[in-house]
Amino acid sequence: MERQEFTADVADLVLSIARKIGATDVVAPDIVALSNVESLVMRHIDRNPGISPSRIADQLGLRTANVSAILRQLEQKRLVRRAHADADRRAVEVHPTAVASRNLSRLREEWAARLDDVVPTVDQAAGEAVLGFLKGLDAGFDGARTR
């Protein structure tokens, strides 16, 4: 298989699987529902606590004004808090809250339950290889956005 065909197939499958995982209209009542862009920003903050709003925008390829609006929405949902940086009181850092941590934990439980019935039985090594590949793919995108 050619590289271009392989990468196109990977993209197609990842998008299809992501849509199916996210297609749950009804989530547990204790999970704070997020839009796709809120979820993208929240995931980035969770992985980069203390990040500035401008870096969020830059690294995710979003407009600063849009990130500001999303952060306001996430603050209203009590998922993030903004604080002044210790080193430079003029700088703002964004941190996930305890509510966000509980929300992510519950969401991961829901994902695991949702996938439990559809994930084929595979040996541990094969599963870890797929997970490693997907993590590398995700990290590659993060690196590409900061160049």
Side-chain angles (χ1 to χ4, degrees), residues 24 26-28 31 105-115:
T24 312
V26 179
V27 286
I31 295 177
S105 182
R106 281 292 295 121
L107 189 56
R108 288 179 62 85
E109 289 172 10
E110 290 292 318
W111 289 340
R114 183 167 176 81
L115 289 176

Side-chain angles (χ1 to χ4, degrees), residues 32-35 37-39 41-42 45 51-53 56 64-84 91-100 103:
V32 178
L34 299 175
S35 70
V37 72
E38 286 173 331
S39 181
V41 171
M42 192 65 237
I45 293 166
I51 191 169
S52 71
I56 293 169
T64 306
N66 292 352
V67 170
S68 293
I70 294 162
L71 290 177
R72 281 192 298 277
Q73 293 166 352
L74 293 173
E75 283 177 314
Q76 289 173 351
K77 294 177 180 185
R78 301 179 336 181
L79 298 174
V80 299
R81 67 177 175 78
R82 296 186 225 202
H84 291 284
V92 174
E93 297 176 337
V94 183
H95 297 271
T97 65
V99 172
N103 201 59

Side-chain angles (χ1 to χ4, degrees), residues 41-64:
V41 171
M42 192 65 237
R43 184 171 181 261
H44 200 68
I45 293 166
D46 186 62
R47 289 183 169 186
N48 302 280
I51 191 169
S52 71
S54 60
R55 286 200 46 115
I56 293 169
D58 191 43
Q59 291 176 354
L60 295 179
L62 299 171
R63 293 181 38 188
T64 306

Side-chain angles (χ1 to χ4, degrees), residues 120-140:
T121 304
V122 296
D123 66 69
Q124 186 81 16
E128 288 177 10
V130 169
L131 190 58
F133 173 79
L134 292 173
K135 285 180 178 180
L137 187 61
D138 187 47

